[in-house]
Amino acid sequence: MADTLESQYDQQGHDEKQTGERPNVQPPLVASRHEKSFVRRVLMAGRVEEGGIQPIPLEARTNTKYFNAFTIWCSINTNILAITFGMLGPVSFGLGLRDSALVILFFNLLSTLAPAFLSTLGPKTGMRQMIQARFSFGYYFVYVPVVLNLATLTGFCVIICVIGGQCLSAVSEGDLSTAVGIVLIGISALLISFCGFNVLHFYEGYAWMPALVAIIIAVGCGGQQLKEQALAEPATASGVLSFGGVIASYMIPWACIASDLTTYFDPTKRLVSLALTLFSYRIFAYSYLGLVVPTILLMTLGAAIGGAMGNIPEWQDGFNSTLVGGVLGAMLSPAGGFGKFILVVLAFTLLANISGTMYAITLNFQTLVPSFRLPRYVFSVIVTAIIIPIAIRAAHDFFLSLENFIALIGYWSASFVGIVVTEHFIFRRANHTSYEAAIWEEPSKLPWGVAAIGAAALSFALVVPCISQVWFTGPIAVSTGDIGFEVAFVLSALLYLPLRYAERHFVGR
């Protein structure tokens, strides 16, 4: 139903534009419509969502399976990507299991608030996340966060493809190269993301089940050795905050696509205000739990694996060979051939994450180039063609690539969240009806965006000295550790207040 309504909505606007541009050329237009009708029938037969970034009309927001908000986030995060991030605590920051687990717990509980809240605005406004951002960044300046978001999402897809490829290579004991494994993961994700919202939600509703079973089996095979934790130095504030920044960099970027995955839910707008309030709490709770529960558990498991790895030669050898895939392969080795099968399952559990991420990437591409009226599924193919070669290159020095990548994404996304949340609560009085769908693509009626982009840019004057990474350590971070994302969030919000008041005073919108 949602697919059909969106296709009709998208086609109506497209046909009107075509008619306005070429009113006197009727025969080619008719032929074009016949061709598009045939293509549409083929696509809809395969449940391919053809629409894109246009606001979803209220009559198309009919999905009442609100629990899907939990299952889609749970499936996206129930895989070995979170295990990989958890391993960074002991492997890269020298933290013990207890300290790593505490950092994972508290930083996840805090940073999950942003994506869970922004998930509630998707059904209320019917707008994708970066379209909502136009109401603070403006029509043109929103291209800056869109480009950064594309880079972030693409980076996550690259990481996922590398991890999946390494797992498949570990299964074959080197007979299948990591590069071939990356191609298999990338193509498989394309097939799912190609189809769109309904198929994605259906797949994500069940994908977490085999993932959970496979992870439990892996822990059952190697869990007895997790107690062999290496002795760690006492935790330092610098190590704790730097690892906390990694955790936040995993979670906060979900806020930049949160509404993309919830726009078709029925907001019960036609009911009383109490029902709308209860709906918001329900979507928030489902999203929050779907994000935080699997992430905390699996990151903690990753920290335990990383802490024990140095005392277990087989695990260390596997890590040296194919990193995360090699460690998991060593854990599953007592199960023989069945263990290899489980490792394959673990590799393909990553599809739940990458397919949802690729779906959001295609929507961001459409926001970036709105003049090109290409359907969303075309961008799925383009994205896959970009991701696969980058992933093959990144696999050569994976953990260094991972650390360099996550060092960048947390800062800008925290700044973005600080600005859009301030806009929503302060300037729009938490009123979702102030996001007028009628002006979503009218630059003259949207804010200029100077306040938003100015606040984000100015905040980095203090963010940069607070960065602590392998390639750069700011003067403040030398003593405090990496507090870049905290500063980016708070300072961007504070700077946005006077700048936005000034913008509204001089521009009137």
Side-chain angles (χ1 to χ4, degrees):
M1 177 66 176
D3 288 342
T4 305
L5 285 169
E6 180 168 353
S7 295
Q8 292 172 349
Y9 182 71
D10 182 51
Q11 178 62 17
Q12 179 183 357
H14 184 62
D15 288 346
E16 288 173 356
K17 182 173 181 179
Q18 291 281 14
T19 304
E21 290 176 352
R22 301 182 63 186
N24 299 322
V25 191
Q26 186 66 20
L29 181 60
V30 172
S32 175
R33 284 177 176 170
H34 283 308
E35 292 170 4
K36 291 177 182 177
S37 177
F38 172 75
V39 172
R40 181 167 293 102
R41 286 197 300 270
V42 173
L43 293 173
M44 295 309 297
R47 308 301 298 155
V48 175
E49 176 191 348
E50 191 180 1
I53 60 173
Q54 297 84 356
I56 309 302
L58 183 60
E59 60 270 18
R61 285 175 257 161
T62 57
N63 191 330
T64 57
K65 297 179 180 178
Y66 302 123
F67 189 70
N68 282 0
F70 172 83
T71 57
I72 191 168
W73 286 120
C74 185
S75 291
I76 284 175
N77 290 281
T78 304
N79 53 63
I80 55 179
L81 178 62
I83 294 176
T84 305
F85 271 74
M87 290 177 66
L88 291 173
V91 172
S92 297
F93 298 98
L95 298 177
L97 175 57
R98 184 197 64 179
D99 297 323
S100 295
L102 290 173
V103 172
I104 289 167
L105 174 64
F106 289 111
F107 276 86
N108 269 306
L109 290 175
L110 177 64
S111 58
T112 306
L113 293 171
F117 168 71
L118 291 179
S119 292
T120 67
L121 296 182
K124 293 178 181 179
T125 64
M127 297 181 193
R128 315 291 186 170
Q129 198 63 64
M130 286 298 160
I131 297 302
Q132 290 178 36
R134 287 181 177 178
F135 290 82
S136 49
F137 282 86
Y139 186 88
Y140 297 107
F141 282 116
V142 80
Y143 291 159
V144 175
V146 167
V147 169
L148 292 172
N149 199 32
L150 280 170
T152 298
L153 297 174
T154 302
F156 268 114
C157 288
V158 167
I159 291 171
I160 294 166
C161 283
V162 172
I163 296 172
Q166 289 171 342
C167 287
L168 295 178
S169 179
V171 170
S172 66
E173 298 179 354
D175 293 336
L176 178 73
S177 69
T178 299
V180 175
I182 288 171
V183 172
L184 291 175
I185 296 294
I187 297 298
S188 300
L190 169 65
L191 297 178
I192 300 171
S193 67
F194 191 84
C195 295
F197 182 91
N198 279 358
V199 172
L200 182 66
H201 269 265
F202 176 80
Y203 174 76
E204 303 285 5
Y206 300 96
W208 63 273
M209 298 178 186
L212 180 61
V213 171
I215 291 170
I216 291 174
I217 292 173
V219 174
C221 290
Q224 291 183 343
Q225 295 177 288
L226 291 176
K227 62 183 179 182
E228 305 292 335
Q229 294 292 311
L231 293 177
E233 296 292 330
T236 63
S238 176
V240 167
L241 290 173
S242 295
F243 183 46
V246 169
I247 303 304
S249 295
Y250 175 92
M251 189 61 73
I252 291 179
W254 291 126
C256 303
I257 69 168
S259 289
D260 297 356
L261 304 177
T262 60
T263 47
Y264 282 104
F265 286 123
D266 185 350
T268 65
K269 185 176 180 180
R270 290 152 289 188
L271 302 180
V272 296
S273 58
L274 176 60
L276 183 59
T277 302
L278 294 176
F279 160 81
S280 297
Y281 284 127
R282 184 187 300 182
I283 293 295
F284 176 86
Y286 284 151
S287 299
Y288 188 87
L289 293 174
L291 282 160
V292 80
V293 171
T295 302
I296 289 176
L297 294 176
L298 293 177
M299 281 189 177
T300 303
L301 173 60
I305 293 172
M309 190 170 61
N311 288 336
I312 306 172
E314 294 81 4
W315 291 16
Q316 187 65 56
D317 291 342
F319 180 81
N320 294 337
S321 175
T322 49
L323 298 178
V324 180
V327 175
L328 293 172
M331 291 178 64
L332 288 162
S333 59
F338 178 70
K340 292 184 177 181
F341 169 74
I342 294 299
L343 188 55
V344 173
V345 174
L346 286 172
F348 282 100
T349 61
L350 292 163
L351 294 181
N353 189 303
I354 191 173
S355 56
T357 305
M358 287 178 64
Y359 175 77
I361 288 176
T362 61
L363 297 173
N364 277 260
F365 261 122
Q366 289 183 308
T367 306
L368 185 64
V369 285
S371 58
F372 291 93
R373 297 282 179 170
L374 293 177
R376 185 196 58 77
Y377 53 81
V378 173
F379 288 105
S380 295
V381 179
I382 297 173
V383 169
T384 304
I386 294 172
I387 288 171
I388 289 176
I390 296 176
I392 292 173
R393 177 65 185 88
H396 294 298
D397 200 345
F398 174 66
F399 262 77
L400 179 60
S401 301
L402 175 60
E403 290 182 37
N404 289 337
F405 166 67
I406 61 178
L408 300 175
I409 61 176
Y411 308 131
W412 86 263
S413 53
S415 176
F416 172 84
V417 170
I419 289 169
V420 297
V421 168
T422 302
E423 173 71 26
H424 179 74
F425 283 105
I426 303 299
F427 297 100
R428 299 190 181 274
R429 308 292 183 186
N431 180 11
H432 66 275
T433 61
S434 64
Y435 299 86
E436 300 178 52
I439 65 171
W440 74 280
E441 57 177 349
E442 297 188 32
S444 62
K445 296 181 180 180
L446 291 166
W448 268 10
V450 174
I453 205 69
L458 290 173
S459 70
F460 274 79
L462 186 57
V463 170
V464 172
C466 298
I467 291 175
S468 176
Q469 298 298 331
V470 175
W471 42 269
F472 175 78
T473 300
I476 297 176
V478 170
S479 56
T480 65
D482 193 331
I483 56 173
F485 92 90
E486 296 96 331
V487 172
F489 175 82
V490 174
L491 191 57
S492 293
L494 292 176
L495 289 171
Y496 185 64
L497 286 170
L499 292 175
R500 183 71 171 113
Y501 276 119
E503 183 179 76
R504 294 182 69 175
H505 175 74
F506 289 108
V507 182
R509 60 180 188 273

